[in-house]
mmCIF file of all heavy atoms in Angstrom:
data_model
loop_
_atom_site.group_PDB
_atom_site.id
_atom_site.type_symbol
_atom_site.label_atom_id
_atom_site.label_comp_id
_atom_site.label_asym_id
_atom_site.label_seq_id
_atom_site.Cartn_x
_atom_site.Cartn_y
_atom_site.Cartn_z
ATOM 1 N N MET F 1 11.282 -19.797 14.517
ATOM 2 C CA MET F 1 10.275 -20.827 14.429
ATOM 3 C C MET F 1 10.546 -21.732 13.240
ATOM 4 O O MET F 1 10.063 -21.541 12.153
ATOM 5 C CB MET F 1 8.877 -20.218 14.268
ATOM 6 C CG MET F 1 8.791 -19.084 13.281
ATOM 7 S SD MET F 1 7.345 -18.098 13.605
ATOM 8 C CE MET F 1 7.710 -16.688 12.589
ATOM 9 N N LYS F 31 -0.766 -12.252 7.700
ATOM 10 C CA LYS F 31 -1.003 -11.598 8.981
ATOM 11 C C LYS F 31 -1.682 -10.234 8.766
ATOM 12 O O LYS F 31 -2.553 -9.830 9.546
ATOM 13 C CB LYS F 31 0.312 -11.413 9.743
ATOM 14 C CG LYS F 31 0.905 -12.710 10.212
ATOM 15 C CD LYS F 31 1.053 -12.726 11.729
ATOM 16 C CE LYS F 31 1.394 -14.111 12.249
ATOM 17 N NZ LYS F 31 0.304 -14.674 13.027
ATOM 18 N N ASP F 40 -10.963 -5.052 11.992
ATOM 19 C CA ASP F 40 -11.657 -4.038 11.212
ATOM 20 C C ASP F 40 -10.745 -2.848 10.930
ATOM 21 O O ASP F 40 -11.144 -1.695 11.084
ATOM 22 C CB ASP F 40 -12.896 -3.593 11.983
ATOM 23 C CG ASP F 40 -13.890 -2.947 11.058
ATOM 24 O OD1 ASP F 40 -13.831 -3.203 9.864
ATOM 25 O OD2 ASP F 40 -14.728 -2.146 11.533
ATOM 26 N N GLU F 42 -7.672 -0.844 8.477
ATOM 27 C CA GLU F 42 -7.167 -0.693 7.113
ATOM 28 C C GLU F 42 -5.674 -0.927 7.144
ATOM 29 O O GLU F 42 -4.954 -0.282 7.902
ATOM 30 C CB GLU F 42 -7.454 0.699 6.585
ATOM 31 C CG GLU F 42 -8.914 0.938 6.265
ATOM 32 C CD GLU F 42 -9.126 2.270 5.547
ATOM 33 O OE1 GLU F 42 -8.370 2.561 4.615
ATOM 34 O OE2 GLU F 42 -10.049 2.994 5.942
ATOM 35 N N GLY F 44 -2.029 -1.714 4.930
ATOM 36 C CA GLY F 44 -1.284 -1.758 3.674
ATOM 37 C C GLY F 44 0.124 -2.253 3.933
ATOM 38 O O GLY F 44 0.751 -1.886 4.915
ATOM 39 N N PHE F 48 9.534 -4.313 -1.215
ATOM 40 C CA PHE F 48 10.413 -4.407 -2.378
ATOM 41 C C PHE F 48 11.509 -5.410 -2.087
ATOM 42 O O PHE F 48 12.226 -5.273 -1.100
ATOM 43 C CB PHE F 48 11.048 -3.057 -2.683
ATOM 44 C CG PHE F 48 10.060 -2.061 -3.156
ATOM 45 C CD1 PHE F 48 9.492 -1.167 -2.268
ATOM 46 C CD2 PHE F 48 9.674 -2.003 -4.479
ATOM 47 C CE1 PHE F 48 8.563 -0.241 -2.693
ATOM 48 C CE2 PHE F 48 8.744 -1.085 -4.918
ATOM 49 C CZ PHE F 48 8.189 -0.193 -4.019
ATOM 50 N N ASP F 56 2.784 -6.109 -2.837
ATOM 51 C CA ASP F 56 2.027 -5.341 -1.876
ATOM 52 C C ASP F 56 0.701 -5.987 -1.552
ATOM 53 O O ASP F 56 0.232 -6.880 -2.243
ATOM 54 C CB ASP F 56 1.811 -3.908 -2.352
ATOM 55 C CG ASP F 56 0.916 -3.866 -3.577
ATOM 56 O OD1 ASP F 56 0.717 -4.898 -4.214
ATOM 57 O OD2 ASP F 56 0.413 -2.767 -3.889
ATOM 58 N N TYR F 71 -2.821 8.840 5.346
ATOM 59 C CA TYR F 71 -1.443 8.843 5.823
ATOM 60 C C TYR F 71 -0.911 10.256 5.862
ATOM 61 O O TYR F 71 -0.338 10.695 6.847
ATOM 62 C CB TYR F 71 -0.577 7.987 4.901
ATOM 63 C CG TYR F 71 0.819 7.811 5.428
ATOM 64 C CD1 TYR F 71 1.127 6.720 6.232
ATOM 65 C CD2 TYR F 71 1.799 8.750 5.190
ATOM 66 C CE1 TYR F 71 2.403 6.571 6.749
ATOM 67 C CE2 TYR F 71 3.070 8.611 5.710
ATOM 68 C CZ TYR F 71 3.363 7.514 6.478
ATOM 69 O OH TYR F 71 4.612 7.372 6.994
ATOM 70 N N ASP F 112 -1.573 62.121 -15.590
ATOM 71 C CA ASP F 112 -1.910 62.444 -16.978
ATOM 72 C C ASP F 112 -1.567 61.280 -17.883
ATOM 73 O O ASP F 112 -0.428 61.118 -18.320
ATOM 74 C CB ASP F 112 -1.159 63.692 -17.413
ATOM 75 C CG ASP F 112 -1.570 64.074 -18.822
ATOM 76 O OD1 ASP F 112 -2.539 63.489 -19.351
ATOM 77 O OD2 ASP F 112 -0.904 64.945 -19.397
ATOM 78 N N MET F 152 5.928 12.817 -3.529
ATOM 79 C CA MET F 152 4.594 12.830 -2.946
ATOM 80 C C MET F 152 4.300 14.043 -2.080
ATOM 81 O O MET F 152 3.368 14.774 -2.311
ATOM 82 C CB MET F 152 4.423 11.545 -2.130
ATOM 83 C CG MET F 152 3.251 11.560 -1.195
ATOM 84 S SD MET F 152 1.690 11.676 -2.057
ATOM 85 C CE MET F 152 0.583 11.813 -0.684
ATOM 86 N N GLU F 155 3.459 17.738 -3.176
ATOM 87 C CA GLU F 155 2.269 18.039 -3.967
ATOM 88 C C GLU F 155 1.702 19.407 -3.591
ATOM 89 O O GLU F 155 1.521 20.281 -4.432
ATOM 90 C CB GLU F 155 1.226 16.957 -3.719
ATOM 91 C CG GLU F 155 -0.072 17.203 -4.438
ATOM 92 C CD GLU F 155 -1.019 16.015 -4.247
ATOM 93 O OE1 GLU F 155 -0.828 15.261 -3.261
ATOM 94 O OE2 GLU F 155 -1.915 15.865 -5.059
ATOM 95 N N LYS F 158 3.861 22.221 -4.606
ATOM 96 C CA LYS F 158 3.731 22.544 -6.021
ATOM 97 C C LYS F 158 2.520 23.424 -6.274
ATOM 98 O O LYS F 158 2.578 24.411 -6.987
ATOM 99 C CB LYS F 158 3.583 21.261 -6.842
ATOM 100 C CG LYS F 158 4.903 20.595 -7.122
ATOM 101 C CD LYS F 158 4.641 19.380 -7.984
ATOM 102 C CE LYS F 158 5.367 18.194 -7.403
ATOM 103 N NZ LYS F 158 4.955 16.949 -8.010
ATOM 104 N N TRP F 190 -10.797 61.866 -25.254
ATOM 105 C CA TRP F 190 -10.096 63.084 -25.637
ATOM 106 C C TRP F 190 -10.462 63.440 -27.073
ATOM 107 O O TRP F 190 -10.711 64.570 -27.413
ATOM 108 C CB TRP F 190 -8.592 62.846 -25.495
ATOM 109 C CG TRP F 190 -7.765 64.008 -25.904
ATOM 110 C CD1 TRP F 190 -7.593 65.164 -25.235
ATOM 111 C CD2 TRP F 190 -7.012 64.121 -27.109
ATOM 112 N NE1 TRP F 190 -6.767 66.009 -25.916
ATOM 113 C CE2 TRP F 190 -6.404 65.398 -27.086
ATOM 114 C CE3 TRP F 190 -6.812 63.282 -28.193
ATOM 115 C CZ2 TRP F 190 -5.596 65.836 -28.124
ATOM 116 C CZ3 TRP F 190 -5.991 63.714 -29.213
ATOM 117 C CH2 TRP F 190 -5.401 64.995 -29.176
ATOM 118 N N LEU F 191 -10.511 62.408 -27.863
ATOM 119 C CA LEU F 191 -10.855 62.552 -29.272
ATOM 120 C C LEU F 191 -12.214 63.200 -29.417
ATOM 121 O O LEU F 191 -12.382 64.156 -30.188
ATOM 122 C CB LEU F 191 -10.909 61.136 -29.872
ATOM 123 C CG LEU F 191 -10.694 60.981 -31.341
ATOM 124 C CD1 LEU F 191 -9.284 61.420 -31.677
ATOM 125 C CD2 LEU F 191 -10.886 59.496 -31.682
ATOM 126 N N PRO F 200 -13.060 57.172 -39.100
ATOM 127 C CA PRO F 200 -13.380 56.931 -40.504
ATOM 128 C C PRO F 200 -14.079 55.572 -40.642
ATOM 129 O O PRO F 200 -13.842 54.654 -39.878
ATOM 130 C CB PRO F 200 -12.008 56.900 -41.177
ATOM 131 C CG PRO F 200 -11.055 56.519 -40.084
ATOM 132 C CD PRO F 200 -11.649 57.089 -38.826
ATOM 133 N N ALA F 201 -14.919 55.496 -41.660
ATOM 134 C CA ALA F 201 -15.697 54.256 -41.843
ATOM 135 C C ALA F 201 -14.865 53.174 -42.514
ATOM 136 O O ALA F 201 -15.108 51.996 -42.355
ATOM 137 C CB ALA F 201 -16.953 54.527 -42.639
ATOM 138 N N GLY F 218 2.588 35.648 -31.526
ATOM 139 C CA GLY F 218 2.576 34.359 -30.837
ATOM 140 C C GLY F 218 1.260 34.163 -30.107
ATOM 141 O O GLY F 218 1.148 33.358 -29.255
ATOM 142 N N MET U 1 -2.985 -19.399 16.940
ATOM 143 C CA MET U 1 -1.880 -19.636 17.861
ATOM 144 C C MET U 1 -2.174 -18.979 19.193
ATOM 145 O O MET U 1 -1.820 -17.866 19.473
ATOM 146 C CB MET U 1 -0.594 -19.050 17.290
ATOM 147 C CG MET U 1 -0.752 -17.691 16.648
ATOM 148 S SD MET U 1 0.635 -17.359 15.615
ATOM 149 C CE MET U 1 0.039 -15.951 14.732
ATOM 150 N N LYS U 31 7.494 -8.673 12.330
ATOM 151 C CA LYS U 31 7.762 -9.507 11.152
ATOM 152 C C LYS U 31 8.237 -8.668 9.971
ATOM 153 O O LYS U 31 9.113 -9.090 9.211
ATOM 154 C CB LYS U 31 6.494 -10.264 10.763
ATOM 155 C CG LYS U 31 6.111 -11.315 11.770
ATOM 156 C CD LYS U 31 6.067 -12.701 11.139
ATOM 157 C CE LYS U 31 5.955 -13.794 12.177
ATOM 158 N NZ LYS U 31 7.166 -14.592 12.285
ATOM 159 N N GLU U 42 13.076 -3.650 1.221
ATOM 160 C CA GLU U 42 12.457 -2.433 1.717
ATOM 161 C C GLU U 42 11.017 -2.740 2.024
ATOM 162 O O GLU U 42 10.267 -3.212 1.168
ATOM 163 C CB GLU U 42 12.543 -1.315 0.678
ATOM 164 C CG GLU U 42 13.940 -0.772 0.491
ATOM 165 C CD GLU U 42 13.938 0.472 -0.401
ATOM 166 O OE1 GLU U 42 13.080 1.336 -0.203
ATOM 167 O OE2 GLU U 42 14.787 0.537 -1.299
ATOM 168 N N VAL U 46 1.499 0.059 6.796
ATOM 169 C CA VAL U 46 0.659 1.166 7.226
ATOM 170 C C VAL U 46 -0.627 0.564 7.776
ATOM 171 O O VAL U 46 -1.287 -0.224 7.106
ATOM 172 C CB VAL U 46 0.306 2.081 6.045
ATOM 173 C CG1 VAL U 46 -0.520 3.272 6.537
ATOM 174 C CG2 VAL U 46 1.564 2.563 5.340
ATOM 175 N N PHE U 48 -4.275 1.459 9.863
ATOM 176 C CA PHE U 48 -5.211 2.354 10.513
ATOM 177 C C PHE U 48 -6.156 1.523 11.364
ATOM 178 O O PHE U 48 -6.816 0.621 10.873
ATOM 179 C CB PHE U 48 -6.012 3.136 9.490
ATOM 180 C CG PHE U 48 -5.188 4.100 8.726
ATOM 181 C CD1 PHE U 48 -4.662 3.763 7.496
ATOM 182 C CD2 PHE U 48 -4.916 5.354 9.239
ATOM 183 C CE1 PHE U 48 -3.882 4.640 6.788
ATOM 184 C CE2 PHE U 48 -4.132 6.246 8.537
ATOM 185 C CZ PHE U 48 -3.605 5.893 7.312
ATOM 186 N N ASP U 56 2.511 2.938 11.694
ATOM 187 C CA ASP U 56 3.243 2.499 10.504
ATOM 188 C C ASP U 56 4.647 2.098 10.828
ATOM 189 O O ASP U 56 5.178 2.370 11.903
ATOM 190 C CB ASP U 56 3.239 3.582 9.426
ATOM 191 C CG ASP U 56 4.027 4.797 9.860
ATOM 192 O OD1 ASP U 56 4.294 4.955 11.065
ATOM 193 O OD2 ASP U 56 4.363 5.614 8.989
ATOM 194 N N TYR U 71 6.872 2.881 -5.747
ATOM 195 C CA TYR U 71 5.545 2.271 -5.853
ATOM 196 C C TYR U 71 4.830 2.775 -7.086
ATOM 197 O O TYR U 71 4.278 2.015 -7.873
ATOM 198 C CB TYR U 71 4.722 2.581 -4.607
ATOM 199 C CG TYR U 71 3.429 1.830 -4.580
ATOM 200 C CD1 TYR U 71 3.335 0.602 -3.924
ATOM 201 C CD2 TYR U 71 2.298 2.315 -5.226
ATOM 202 C CE1 TYR U 71 2.156 -0.097 -3.907
ATOM 203 C CE2 TYR U 71 1.116 1.612 -5.211
ATOM 204 C CZ TYR U 71 1.048 0.413 -4.562
ATOM 205 O OH TYR U 71 -0.114 -0.291 -4.557
ATOM 206 N N ASP U 112 -11.812 46.592 -39.941
ATOM 207 C CA ASP U 112 -11.811 47.989 -39.553
ATOM 208 C C ASP U 112 -11.938 48.120 -38.033
ATOM 209 O O ASP U 112 -13.044 48.097 -37.491
ATOM 210 C CB ASP U 112 -12.949 48.726 -40.247
ATOM 211 C CG ASP U 112 -12.939 50.192 -39.890
ATOM 212 O OD1 ASP U 112 -11.943 50.641 -39.282
ATOM 213 O OD2 ASP U 112 -13.908 50.877 -40.200
ATOM 214 N N MET U 152 -3.218 11.001 -4.045
ATOM 215 C CA MET U 152 -1.847 10.886 -4.522
ATOM 216 C C MET U 152 -1.712 10.768 -6.044
ATOM 217 O O MET U 152 -1.049 11.544 -6.684
ATOM 218 C CB MET U 152 -1.222 9.637 -3.859
ATOM 219 C CG MET U 152 0.040 9.154 -4.496
ATOM 220 S SD MET U 152 1.362 10.372 -4.428
ATOM 221 C CE MET U 152 2.598 9.532 -5.386
ATOM 222 N N GLU U 155 -2.013 13.626 -8.709
ATOM 223 C CA GLU U 155 -1.084 14.759 -8.725
ATOM 224 C C GLU U 155 -0.855 15.264 -10.142
ATOM 225 O O GLU U 155 -1.059 16.424 -10.454
ATOM 226 C CB GLU U 155 0.231 14.328 -8.107
ATOM 227 C CG GLU U 155 1.267 15.413 -8.094
ATOM 228 C CD GLU U 155 2.515 14.908 -7.370
ATOM 229 O OE1 GLU U 155 2.675 13.694 -7.254
ATOM 230 O OE2 GLU U 155 3.301 15.735 -6.948
ATOM 231 N N LYS U 158 -3.849 16.896 -11.624
ATOM 232 C CA LYS U 158 -4.026 18.271 -11.161
ATOM 233 C C LYS U 158 -3.157 19.225 -11.947
ATOM 234 O O LYS U 158 -3.611 20.270 -12.392
ATOM 235 C CB LYS U 158 -3.664 18.370 -9.680
ATOM 236 C CG LYS U 158 -4.775 17.972 -8.769
ATOM 237 C CD LYS U 158 -4.337 18.179 -7.338
ATOM 238 C CE LYS U 158 -4.628 16.939 -6.541
ATOM 239 N NZ LYS U 158 -4.014 16.994 -5.226
ATOM 240 N N LYS U 174 -4.169 36.990 -23.935
ATOM 241 C CA LYS U 174 -3.459 37.337 -25.153
ATOM 242 C C LYS U 174 -4.378 38.104 -26.087
ATOM 243 O O LYS U 174 -4.058 39.211 -26.535
ATOM 244 C CB LYS U 174 -2.955 36.063 -25.839
ATOM 245 C CG LYS U 174 -2.046 36.331 -27.025
ATOM 246 C CD LYS U 174 -1.283 35.103 -27.421
ATOM 247 C CE LYS U 174 -2.162 34.091 -28.112
ATOM 248 N NZ LYS U 174 -1.401 32.907 -28.544
ATOM 249 N N TRP U 190 -4.580 57.205 -35.961
ATOM 250 C CA TRP U 190 -5.649 57.910 -36.659
ATOM 251 C C TRP U 190 -5.667 59.362 -36.228
ATOM 252 O O TRP U 190 -5.823 60.280 -37.002
ATOM 253 C CB TRP U 190 -6.974 57.218 -36.305
ATOM 254 C CG TRP U 190 -8.162 57.884 -36.917
ATOM 255 C CD1 TRP U 190 -8.547 57.852 -38.212
ATOM 256 C CD2 TRP U 190 -9.105 58.702 -36.236
ATOM 257 N NE1 TRP U 190 -9.681 58.581 -38.398
ATOM 258 C CE2 TRP U 190 -10.053 59.109 -37.194
ATOM 259 C CE3 TRP U 190 -9.255 59.110 -34.909
ATOM 260 C CZ2 TRP U 190 -11.126 59.933 -36.866
ATOM 261 C CZ3 TRP U 190 -10.328 59.910 -34.597
ATOM 262 C CH2 TRP U 190 -11.251 60.313 -35.560
ATOM 263 N N LEU U 191 -5.460 59.551 -34.915
ATOM 264 C CA LEU U 191 -5.435 60.877 -34.325
ATOM 265 C C LEU U 191 -4.387 61.735 -34.985
ATOM 266 O O LEU U 191 -4.621 62.880 -35.368
ATOM 267 C CB LEU U 191 -5.102 60.688 -32.837
ATOM 268 C CG LEU U 191 -5.493 61.761 -31.873
ATOM 269 C CD1 LEU U 191 -7.003 61.875 -31.827
ATOM 270 C CD2 LEU U 191 -4.962 61.391 -30.499
ATOM 271 N N PRO U 200 -3.308 66.892 -24.689
ATOM 272 C CA PRO U 200 -3.140 68.003 -23.748
ATOM 273 C C PRO U 200 -2.108 67.640 -22.696
ATOM 274 O O PRO U 200 -1.942 66.478 -22.352
ATOM 275 C CB PRO U 200 -4.527 68.126 -23.126
ATOM 276 C CG PRO U 200 -5.156 66.783 -23.264
ATOM 277 C CD PRO U 200 -4.590 66.209 -24.529
ATOM 278 N N ALA U 201 -1.447 68.648 -22.232
ATOM 279 C CA ALA U 201 -0.372 68.377 -21.264
ATOM 280 C C ALA U 201 -0.901 68.197 -19.857
ATOM 281 O O ALA U 201 -0.283 67.560 -19.023
ATOM 282 C CB ALA U 201 0.637 69.531 -21.271
#
Side-chain angles (χ1 to χ4, degrees):
Chain F
M1 44 200 167
K31 292 240 169 247
D40 200 22
E42 288 189 45
F48 292 95
D56 66 344
Y71 188 92
D112 183 10
M152 165 64 185
E155 177 175 22
K158 279 182 229 168
W190 177 74
L191 204 64
Chain U
M1 42 197 168
K31 291 239 169 249
E42 288 188 44
V46 183
F48 292 95
D56 66 343
Y71 188 93
D112 182 10
M152 164 62 185
E155 179 176 19
K158 277 183 230 170
K174 187 164 74 178
W190 177 74
L191 203 64

